[in-house]
Amino acid sequence: MHDVRTVTKPSMLRLAAASLAGTAIEFYDFFVYGTAAALVLGPLFFPAFSPVAGTLAAFVTFGVGFVARPLGSVLFGHIGDRRGRRPVLVGSLLLTGASTVAVGCVPTYESIGVAAPALLLVLRFLQGLGLGGEWGGAVLLTAEHAPAERRALWSSFPQVGPALGFLLANGVMLALSVTLSDAQFAQWGWRVPFWVAGVLATVGLWLRSSLAESPSFLEIDDHARVPLAEVVRDHWRLVLLTAGALSVGYAIFYAVTTWSLAYATERLGVSRTVMLTCIMAAVVVKGALTPLAALLGDRYGRRPMCLTGCTAAVLWMFPTVYLLATGEPLLMFAGFLGALIAFVTMFGVIAAYLPELYEPRVRCTGAAVGYNLGGVLGGALTPIAATALAEHGGRVPWGVGAYLTGIALLSLGCFALLPETRPVPLVVAEPVMD
């Protein structure tokens, strides 16, 4: 048995801050591609297509990253369950950072032909592979150090990271959009955010170099030989339920932050700057509300928060697309804000909920696979499906509202079948649910 050190509040603050910073950096890498796909990658890498088809093709390369994420969770989950959570944080950050910088160096279709989109696909796959390991490592390291009665709160720190990463990615894009002409942005400006990822990855590696290993991992005497095999054999139902439950969160987030950006700029004629500003403002509020949702989860339970947020999503998807179709900044912002409040009501507690559902010996693999499979269902398909549905609708894309409402209903059913977990000590090696 390894010694497990007591974690003080200052140590928790350092750990949570390092997890948050690293998560923000890796999600910056992932999100900057989504913004570029919505704004510029279609004409540069798929010039023979029509504008809508080019956007669809760019979103397909965007979706490849989500397909890779479950594979990354298997790869890095194996490392996390066999070797510890800390190595996952370093390896995933290196892979995601390097592949993001490389995206910024890929020549366009005009220069190298079909090799250009092929390279984008490969690099986007590597981005997804790295991010598939990031969430599990960062969240588990924080959750497994945290006291049970405040686990959701401490675990919400890395959950704020995606919002910060998105704001940073879009902030850089917005600054370039404002200061550069359309020709300059298309020629070289879009590459700058990808190059910035190299600097951010270096900072992230420095922040994570001194983190302590998880006490739950140190308490395990008999590590799983093949964690994925145990997850599939003993927890397959739980993996499917968590994937289905989380799909609505991904669908909401990427409908708001990626599809709506392309839809409004291409179909409604809203300026790129206005759209980025509306979306970023809604994401700021979402990030600020994450700790509050986590505190409520510590007080009232994980499952009630998830059911509440999912119900709100069912009710708000049609208003969201209606308000978007107005093209009015304040109304679009209101639609985005309502959707993201529903999102954060669920995802503010997910970083505590998922680890509590899985036993420690396979927790890194199980939680990460369930989380990232939800990304395939909700994140990879949503921009593609929404773009296709909106193309065949009127000014108000009601088909997109129906699609998002359907995903929300699926997730609501899955959350209803999951158990409550709050609070349980994560060092006890007993499965909560088979």
Side-chain angles (χ1 to χ4, degrees):
M1 178 76 70
H2 299 273
D3 292 331
V4 181
R5 290 174 290 177
T6 300
V7 182
T8 64
K9 187 174 181 180
S11 297
M12 277 305 308
L13 284 171
R14 286 194 297 270
L15 174 65
S19 294
L20 183 155
T23 307
I25 291 165
E26 290 214 49
F27 274 90
Y28 166 89
D29 296 349
F30 201 73
F31 289 147
V32 78
Y33 189 101
T35 305
L39 295 178
V40 74
L41 294 186
L44 293 177
F45 290 87
F46 304 95
F49 293 2
S50 68
V52 172
T55 300
L56 275 170
F59 281 153
V60 169
T61 65
F62 175 71
V64 165
F66 286 97
V67 175
R69 283 173 65 168
L71 300 177
S73 64
V74 171
L75 171 64
F76 286 102
H78 184 90
I79 296 170
D81 286 324
R82 293 283 299 164
R83 304 297 178 188
R85 317 318 190 197
R86 287 184 70 246
V88 171
L89 299 184
V90 175
S92 62
L93 186 57
L94 278 172
L95 179 57
T96 309
S99 55
T100 304
V101 172
V103 169
C105 301
V106 176
T108 63
Y109 186 94
E110 185 180 3
S111 300
I112 61 172
V114 72
L119 283 172
L120 275 187
L121 280 172
V122 171
L123 293 172
R124 181 61 175 171
F125 181 88
L126 293 175
Q127 269 192 324
L129 206 66
L131 194 63
E134 162 62 28
W135 186 87
V139 164
L140 289 192
L141 200 62
T142 307
E144 291 179 339
H145 274 95
E149 68 277 5
R150 283 290 179 264
R151 186 176 299 124
L153 176 61
W154 287 113
S155 301
S156 72
F157 276 70
Q159 285 295 83
V160 176
L164 293 179
F166 175 84
L167 291 171
L168 183 58
N170 283 270
V172 174
M173 283 288 191
L174 180 59
L176 291 166
S177 179
V178 170
T179 57
L180 300 177
S181 67
D182 287 345
Q184 289 172 323
F185 185 81
Q187 185 176 11
W188 59 268
W190 68 272
R191 298 182 182 274
V192 174
F194 292 93
W195 296 337
V196 170
V199 178
L200 296 177
T202 303
V203 174
L205 289 171
W206 174 74
L207 287 171
R208 290 180 164 183
S209 61
S210 60
L211 295 181
E213 185 53 81
S214 156
S216 289
F217 178 78
L218 296 177
E219 282 280 282
I220 300 170
D221 291 320
D222 182 24
H223 296 282
R225 290 181 58 83
V226 185
L228 179 62
E230 289 195 23
V231 168
V232 172
R233 184 187 68 230
D234 300 331
H235 303 289
W236 62 270
R237 179 173 176 269
L238 179 56
V239 169
L240 293 179
L241 283 176
T242 52
L246 298 182
S247 61
V248 65
Y250 284 99
I252 290 173
F253 193 83
Y254 289 101
V256 168
T257 62
T258 302
W259 167 74
S260 68
L261 180 59
Y263 177 79
T265 54
E266 294 173 4
R267 291 285 300 275
L268 305 180
V270 181
S271 78
R272 187 167 58 216
T273 301
V274 168
M275 281 306 298
L276 286 172
T277 302
C278 289
I279 294 169
M280 288 171 64
V283 172
V284 167
V285 179
K286 172 254 180 191
L289 291 177
T290 301
L292 175 60
L295 276 172
L296 292 173
D298 278 327
R299 182 176 179 85
Y300 298 109
R302 299 18 168 162
R303 187 169 173 270
M305 295 295 293
C306 292
L307 291 172
T308 300
C310 209
T311 302
V314 170
L315 298 175
W316 192 247
M317 292 302 95
F318 281 109
T320 297
V321 297
Y322 174 78
L323 293 171
L324 170 64
T326 67
E328 294 294 328
L330 287 178
L331 295 179
M332 291 190 297
F333 167 73
F336 297 156
L337 181 60
L340 291 182
I341 288 175
F343 166 89
V344 80
T345 303
M346 296 176 278
F347 272 56
V349 300
I350 285 299
Y353 195 19
L354 258 64
E356 291 168 347
L357 287 169
Y358 290 88
E359 60 179 308
R361 58 185 278 119
V362 295
R363 182 174 289 147
C364 196
T365 299
V369 168
Y371 185 85
N372 287 297
L373 280 177
V376 176
L377 295 173
L381 299 178
T382 293
I384 299 169
T387 300
L389 289 168
E391 176 66 9
H392 300 291
R395 180 176 176 85
V396 180
W398 296 119
V400 178
Y403 172 82
L404 294 173
T405 302
I407 293 179
L409 287 169
L410 167 67
S411 294
L412 184 62
C414 291
F415 275 126
L417 294 173
L418 288 171
E420 179 57 87
T421 59
R422 177 211 35 122
V424 297
L426 291 184
V427 295
V428 178
E430 295 177 357
V432 175
M433 175 181 177
D434 290 330

